[in-house]
Amino acid sequence: MRRLLLALALAAAPLAARADALPEKPILRIETGMHGGAINALAVPPDGKSLISVSDDKTTRIWSLEDGSLLKTLRSPIGNGPEGALYALALSPSGKTIAVAGYTGIAEGGAAIYLFQRETGAPIGRIALGRADAVTVLAFAPDGSRLAAGVNDSRGVRILDLARRTVEVLDAAAGSPTTGLAYAADGRLATASQDGKVRLYDRELKRVAERNLGAAAEPFSLAFSPDGSRLAVGSLAEAKVRLLGRNLEPLSEMTGAEGTRGTLALVAWSIDGQRLYAAGTYGEAAGRKRIRRWLSFGGGPLDLPAGDDTVTALAPLSNGGIAFATAEPRWGSYDASDKPGKAHPRTQIDLRDTQRQFLVSKDGAVVEFGLVQGGGKRGRFDLNAGEFAKDAPPRADLAPPAEGKARDWRNTTRPTFAGKALALDPGETARSVAASGDRLVLGTDYFVRLYDAGRLVWKTALPAPAWTVNVSGDGRWALVGTGDGTIRWLRLDNGDEALALFVEPTSGGWVVWTPEGFFDHSPGGERLIGYHLNRISDGTARGADFVRVEQLYSLFFRRDLVIRKLRGDDDAVAAELASIGDIGTILGRGLPPTVQLTEWCSRERGLENCAPVAGDQLSRSGVGKIEPIRVSSPELVVRFKVEDRGGGHGPVVLRRQGAQIEAPGATRAVTGKTREEERVVELEPGLNMISLSAFNAAKEIETSTEERANLAVIYEGVEQRQPVLRVVAIGIDRYRSPAIEPLANAAADARGIVETFGKDRTHRVFRELDAKPLIDEEATLEGITAALEQLAQRTRPEDLAVLFFAGHSVALNGKFFFLPHDLSRPSPEAIQKESLTHDRLAALLAKLPSGRAMLILDSCFSGAFAVGDSVLRDSRDETLGRQMSRVSGRFILAASSSYEEALDGEDGHGVLTGAILEGLAGAADRHLRGNRDGKVNVLEIGEWAKARVPQISARLGQTQAQRPRWYFTGDDMFDLRSADESSQR
């Protein structure tokens, strides 16, 4: 409930945090597409198509009632502690303006209300209430001229005259915090207060009636019937709803069913006045919460299931039903016939009552935890492997927390250890413990504390209660499971946070990050966190922006640094951060521009046939239905506007089928901060999915996935024929510099790739082979660049391409560098200037008009760039592979070896290439994920290499088996070669 949640929020916040000004530094936030805290209020626009919600998680969200999807997320300024939490929501009668408030503006000296346009989500402005505590409830007058704000202080309801832009106090003599507000259709206003009184005011805001229900009744929410003849009053103290008349005279009382417990604090009428709904903590003895429904036209009351936690909001629907929300958080609805509608469940793990399920390995790298309250479901995360699994088999090396000599700690304010009381702050409650000898880690509502023989050593603030804690067996880590669904690694010696993990329990998607911002993730997990940026002007918060970490991928995806953080190698992390700049500096350079598609033109023989981009032809990140454009010419001109949002204009990126494509074009006009651009796209026969994004001027922040403009184009009327397979195979055994050690198999591997494709006699996949090997002295930087550029010129959008690289490589700043034959010396300076860098290779790949391209990286890392530790080596390879796949959108198959491993091989080929040649001949189609269709595709080759390479490595006696991985961010698992006929028998 609003007042209860507000009281908890205030109690849970250190007092010092309340006086802080709003931070200008980025604030890392979890973003799952669902609220991460209790939903406190709901509103439904007049058209009845959407639902608006506000939450403790400090966001306002707009949902589709048709399919439950998230339409928009609105962000108001936030701070540390409770600053920014939203408890109140009101929608103007026209449905055009959203007003939100809560613990908002308190850091700046007084409460504030933020206004947004509903249709666009754009901020309108900010209304400061002056000296005022947190806002608990908002209500628009029926004519939209006034906005009433109930405040958690004793100075009365604030009335905002929106036309005159004034704020006045209503009935200061009331002298008690407001808990409920409701306008009647005729303009009368009713209020409920903590003193137990309900008061009624006429249209001129003069008090005309008062009903004292008694402070013990704790009147809470209010709701007028649509005709204004009845006022329903909910109670925080009992399962009872009181009906009052037009002048607050008592009419009747309605109660909960026998055998239930809890209170009916929330009330709402259906839009036609035929049904009254009430909810709160009311529900079954087992804990399931319910909504109580009464009919005005006869028939008994009915209880409707709501969820497992307190119902925190009700709102009438245009279909005569009700929308509801809970503190889980969860939202759902019922129509007028009590049939449930779409629901949106909790999207974070619930670590309450899972202390015994919180298991940790000796080194702290593996943690197992409950996914739901009570720990009925389990999940296990392995940092070293970068893997999450549900209900994994038990492991004997994972230990639960020890209670040791701790007593009276569960949900109390006076825990003890070895008979000694442990002092907590006022209002602070103990939630979890983990003992290790004379040391005790204590988790509370908003701190983790370490005591040594009863003496406080350190305490670290948390964003949510510490429901679970444990200590790693090596004594290095205190692991904490918190109420926001995160698991955090704190250094046991000083309490500093080193790592944090968030797991989305339904999909199993996850992301783990360091305080510096470096992160690792599962597929899609890079969208689960981001940075909130307060927009502050002249010392006042004006709005907020949000940048997902996926928009900073090239800088901050560093699985290798996450592993180094676990190992305690803070110097390596600090050095990398110093080379790119901290997250605040990077975000301070400004957001990327917005991209808006405006027109498309079919171009043939120099003539253009143009049309504006219609709404049903455009989507953002593929959300919603999209109507394809159909054309009969191979070239499409797309025109669009790019508007600077403060970060300047950087490169515009065009992708087709998820692969970055270099499309020629020009700037057509520049007006202020807006550029009008066009690009010419070569189409492949059939469906073409085209997307546009942009970088800021610093080339560091890209348009987020959900903000990219997507267009579907079907190129029809052309006969589809088999593609040409274009191959460039590079193998370097001997280098010009004597400081670079020679290899044994790279040249033979490159020749073997070309020969194997050339042996395809049936041509079921490609009609012609265009192959060019570059061996040793041919593979200079100039030679490699020229070969790839010429390949791009010969390639058509429907063709296939294979690019093979075997030789020495280097990893610098998380990026891939391939050493050409003519590198002068293997120094970092020379490598960055004279090698095939990550960025150069990505740019050359973008020149390929085909998205059906496979890049094979058979790399040897040697000398100063070798990594002996297998976990660190794998984390480096994972970083390089994902970075290259992300920027190119092509299929990447990669594996690395040490110098000694690179000299090993079978039949004259290196381990990875040997496995690939087997797979291409047909083994990949017959085994593992092969579909036995007589053709070998990229997925089959990737899976075959993953399984086969470790087998070959083991047979050769390699102590650290190579671990190939494949990566793909496109959307077309294409064929490569016909399987040899003999292999199919």
Side-chain angles (χ1 to χ4, degrees):
M1 317 314 294
R2 285 186 296 266
R3 185 167 67 82
L4 292 180
L5 293 171
L6 175 59
L8 289 173
L10 296 181
L15 291 175
R18 301 183 198 176
D20 289 346
L22 285 173
E24 297 189 41
K25 292 183 177 180
I27 303 171
L28 191 140
R29 305 285 291 169
I30 295 165
E31 180 50 68
T32 66
M34 174 55 174
H35 287 298
I39 299 172
N40 295 316
L42 298 173
V44 177
D47 62 13
K49 295 181 180 180
S50 58
L51 178 71
I52 308 168
S53 58
V54 296
S55 167
D56 279 358
D57 74 354
K58 308 181 182 182
T59 65
T60 302
R61 297 177 190 261
I62 305 177
W63 310 88
S64 166
L65 280 170
E66 179 183 4
D67 59 16
S69 63
L70 178 64
L71 301 177
K72 293 183 180 69
T73 299
L74 315 182
R75 300 184 187 274
S76 42
I78 69 172
N80 300 312
E83 178 63 47
L86 299 174
Y87 309 129
L89 162 67
L91 184 64
S92 65
S94 67
K96 294 182 178 180
T97 302
I98 298 171
V100 301
Y103 201 96
T104 46
I106 307 301
E108 299 174 283
I113 299 170
Y114 295 100
L115 303 177
F116 296 90
Q117 294 177 357
R118 180 179 66 85
E119 287 292 336
T120 64
I124 297 173
R126 173 184 185 274
I127 301 172
L129 298 185
R131 192 167 64 96
D133 207 332
V135 177
T136 58
V137 60
L138 291 169
F140 271 101
D143 63 1
S145 64
R146 292 169 175 159
L147 178 64
V151 182
N152 190 54
D153 61 27
S154 300
R155 293 187 287 275
V157 174
R158 282 28 168 218
I159 301 295
L160 287 68
D161 187 311
L162 299 177
R164 294 189 297 160
R165 298 181 178 274
T166 59
V167 179
E168 299 178 357
V169 174
L170 171 67
D171 203 353
S176 182
T178 304
T179 58
L181 289 174
Y183 272 104
D186 60 7
R188 290 174 297 145
L189 175 65
T191 69
S193 304
Q194 284 185 21
D195 60 6
K197 294 179 180 179
V198 177
R199 298 174 175 88
L200 183 66
Y201 302 85
D202 65 15
R203 295 182 61 182
E204 304 305 319
L205 299 179
K206 295 179 181 179
R207 193 199 300 182
V208 295
E210 179 177 290
R211 174 64 54 184
N212 188 357
L213 302 179
E218 297 191 68
F220 191 65
S221 72
L222 305 173
F224 275 107
S225 61
D227 64 3
S229 64
R230 292 166 292 174
L231 178 68
V233 183
S235 170
L236 279 174
E238 52 197 341
K240 181 183 291 186
V241 175
R242 295 170 173 84
L243 286 184
L244 305 180
R246 186 172 292 274
N247 293 308
L248 302 187
E249 68 276 13
L251 297 178
S252 61
E253 294 181 350
M254 290 166 290
T255 61
E258 290 187 15
T260 58
R261 64 181 184 181
T263 65
L264 292 169
L266 298 173
V267 289
W269 294 90
S270 63
I271 199 166
D272 58 7
Q274 297 299 302
R275 284 161 293 278
L276 176 63
Y277 298 90
T281 59
Y282 174 78
E284 304 167 1
R288 182 82 172 168
K289 307 307 178 190
R290 294 185 172 273
I291 301 167
R292 188 82 162 155
R293 189 269 290 148
W294 295 272
L295 299 175
S296 297
F297 48 82
L302 179 68
D303 282 352
L304 305 171
D308 295 325
D309 209 337
T310 303
V311 179
T312 51
L314 296 173
L317 298 173
S318 60
N319 64 12
I322 194 75
F324 66 90
T326 75
E328 295 173 63
R330 178 177 186 265
W331 67 260
S333 66
Y334 286 95
D335 65 16
S337 61
D338 304 323
K339 180 182 177 181
K342 289 290 183 181
H344 209 300
R346 179 187 182 100
T347 55
Q348 61 191 51
I349 59 177
D350 188 347
L351 293 164
R352 291 174 296 173
D353 305 320
T354 63
Q355 176 79 353
R356 297 305 300 171
Q357 287 80 29
F358 198 55
L359 313 180
V360 175
S361 62
K362 183 177 180 180
D363 63 356
V366 181
V367 57
E368 186 172 305
F369 44 90
L371 300 178
V372 298
Q373 185 175 2
K377 298 179 181 179
R378 299 190 335 274
R380 182 184 298 161
F381 182 73
D382 186 332
L383 254 173
N384 283 330
E387 295 176 350
F388 171 75
K390 295 181 182 179
D391 296 321
R395 278 178 45 169
D397 62 330
L398 302 182
E403 184 173 336
K405 301 174 184 178
R407 299 291 183 270
D408 301 324
W409 57 268
R410 188 183 296 275
N411 301 328
T412 73
T413 59
R414 306 182 72 177
T416 65
F417 186 69
K420 182 182 294 187
L422 305 176
L424 304 180
D425 290 346
E428 186 180 5
T429 300
R431 302 295 184 185
S432 53
V433 296
S436 177
D438 288 335
R439 296 189 298 180
L440 179 75
V441 176
L442 178 70
T444 74
D445 280 327
Y446 50 92
F447 285 116
V448 174
R449 298 166 174 266
L450 176 67
Y451 296 91
D452 191 339
R455 179 182 61 86
L456 180 64
V457 179
W458 52 257
K459 70 175 183 179
T460 297
L462 294 174
W467 295 125
T468 58
V469 293
N470 204 342
V471 176
S472 62
D474 60 9
R476 296 178 60 229
W477 300 108
L479 283 86
V480 188
T482 67
D484 63 357
T486 62
I487 293 170
R488 298 169 187 262
W489 281 253
L490 308 183
R491 300 189 189 283
L492 198 61
D493 57 355
N494 59 18
D496 289 347
E497 182 177 309
L499 295 163
L501 165 72
F502 181 84
V503 175
E504 200 287 311
T506 302
S507 66
W510 56 268
V511 59
V512 61
W513 64 94
T514 73
E516 296 85 0
F518 299 114
F519 68 94
D520 186 19
H521 65 95
S522 66
E526 70 274 25
R527 301 177 191 175
L528 291 172
I529 58 172
Y531 292 96
H532 177 105
L533 302 169
N534 290 323
R535 292 202 302 267
I536 299 176
S537 176
D538 298 326
T540 300
R542 306 296 182 186
D545 295 306
F546 188 76
V547 176
R548 294 182 188 267
V549 295
E550 64 156 343
Q551 298 177 248
L552 304 159
Y553 202 91
S554 65
L555 295 177
F556 285 96
F557 169 69
R558 295 297 301 271
R559 170 164 168 74
D560 55 330
L561 294 183
V562 168
I563 297 300
R564 288 191 179 277
K565 197 76 172 182
L566 179 70
R567 301 290 182 89
D569 190 356
D570 288 347
D571 290 343
V573 177
E576 293 288 354
L577 188 68
S579 70
I580 63 174
D582 63 62
I583 192 74
T585 300
I586 291 168
L587 294 178
R589 288 196 266 269
L591 300 179
T594 60
V595 181
Q596 179 186 357
L597 277 166
T598 57
E599 186 179 46
W600 62 270
C601 303
S602 178
R603 177 183 287 180
E604 190 169 12
R605 297 175 184 174
L607 300 177
E608 292 184 353
N609 179 24
C610 300
V613 176
D616 60 355
Q617 296 173 336
L618 180 65
S619 77
R620 295 288 178 180
S621 71
V623 175
K625 298 179 181 178
I626 182 171
E627 183 66 27
I629 296 168
R630 296 180 180 273
V631 299
S632 57
S633 59
E635 283 189 346
L636 185 81
V637 180
V638 290
R639 294 186 175 133
F640 53 95
K641 292 181 179 180
V642 186
E643 185 171 357
D644 180 13
R645 288 193 292 175
H649 290 275
V652 173
V653 178
L654 188 144
R655 294 176 173 88
R656 192 191 64 226
Q657 321 298 57
Q660 184 171 331
I661 301 294
E662 188 180 77
T667 300
R668 293 164 55 86
V670 178
T671 306
K673 294 184 176 182
T674 302
R675 294 174 180 263
E676 296 182 26
E677 302 274 349
E678 75 172 20
R679 297 291 185 273
V680 181
V681 187
E682 282 192 272
L683 302 175
E684 60 181 79
L687 179 64
N688 295 257
M689 293 301 300
I690 298 169
S691 75
L692 285 165
S693 63
F695 280 87
N696 63 353
K699 301 179 183 180
E700 295 170 332
I701 310 174
E702 187 179 6
T703 309
S704 68
T705 303
E706 70 258 23
E707 291 181 327
R708 294 177 188 174
N710 297 301
L711 202 62
V713 182
I714 296 178
Y715 173 30
E716 55 190 7
V718 61
E719 180 182 354
Q720 296 193 32
R721 59 177 183 169
Q722 283 187 318
V724 174
L725 173 62
R726 317 279 182 178
V727 179
V728 170
I730 299 163
I732 308 175
D733 283 337
R734 300 186 307 276
Y735 288 81
R736 182 178 299 173
S737 169
I740 304 176
E741 298 167 298
L743 296 173
N745 301 302
D749 289 346
R751 294 188 184 100
I753 290 291
V754 172
E755 290 170 2
T756 297
F757 281 115
K759 292 177 181 178
D760 186 342
R761 304 303 181 193
T762 60
H763 293 289
R764 296 179 60 197
V765 174
F766 57 88
R767 72 177 191 273
E768 180 185 341
L769 175 64
D770 170 18
K772 180 178 180 59
L774 292 178
I775 308 300
D776 289 341
E777 61 272 5
E778 297 175 308
T780 62
L781 179 59
E782 182 180 355
I784 294 171
T785 301
L788 294 180
E789 287 181 337
Q790 292 164 12
L791 178 77
Q793 293 170 5
R794 298 194 301 272
T795 302
R796 303 300 304 158
E798 64 271 19
D799 286 345
L800 306 174
V802 173
L803 309 180
F804 177 85
F805 290 81
H808 281 293
S809 299
V810 165
L812 292 173
N813 300 321
K815 301 296 176 63
F816 175 83
F817 293 75
F818 184 76
L819 308 191
H821 168 78
D822 56 338
L823 180 71
S824 62
R825 61 189 185 283
S827 69
E829 297 77 17
I831 289 168
Q832 293 185 69
K833 290 181 180 179
E834 302 172 17
S835 69
L836 183 64
T837 67
H838 171 100
D839 293 333
R840 286 176 182 169
L841 179 55
L844 289 168
L845 287 172
K847 290 178 180 292
L848 274 174
S850 173
R852 287 191 286 271
M854 182 180 190
L855 176 63
I856 302 172
L857 304 176
D858 192 352
S859 303
C860 170
F861 290 82
S862 63
F865 302 102
V867 177
D869 186 300
S870 62
V871 174
L872 289 177
R873 186 172 86 177
D874 287 344
S875 69
R876 175 206 61 196
D877 293 352
E878 186 84 2
T879 299
L880 300 179
R882 285 202 197 177
Q883 287 281 10
M884 183 56 66
S885 177
R886 179 86 178 188
V887 72
S888 70
R890 269 69 174 191
F891 192 99
I892 313 291
L893 175 59
S896 72
S897 58
S898 67
Y899 176 67
E900 292 76 14
E901 292 166 340
L903 298 179
D904 290 335
E906 286 188 324
D907 300 326
H909 291 294
V911 175
L912 174 63
T913 302
I916 290 173
L917 298 180
E918 288 180 347
L920 286 172
D925 181 50
R926 295 195 314 271
H927 302 288
L928 299 174
R929 298 182 68 176
N931 59 16
R932 296 177 177 268
D933 66 347
K935 294 179 284 188
V936 180
N937 65 40
V938 287
L939 173 62
E940 292 170 341
I941 279 291
E943 290 298 293
W944 172 256
K946 283 171 62 177
R948 186 68 174 134
V949 166
Q951 295 173 355
I952 299 174
S953 297
R955 190 166 65 234
L956 294 174
Q958 294 181 359
T959 57
Q960 295 182 7
Q962 300 175 46
R963 293 184 58 190
R965 291 179 173 84
W966 61 265
Y967 310 90
F968 192 42
T969 56
D971 59 5
D972 188 358
M973 289 292 183
F974 50 92
D975 293 322
L976 287 170
R977 184 189 189 274
S978 306
D980 291 346
E981 292 182 4
S982 61
S983 73
Q984 300 300 305
R985 298 191 182 101

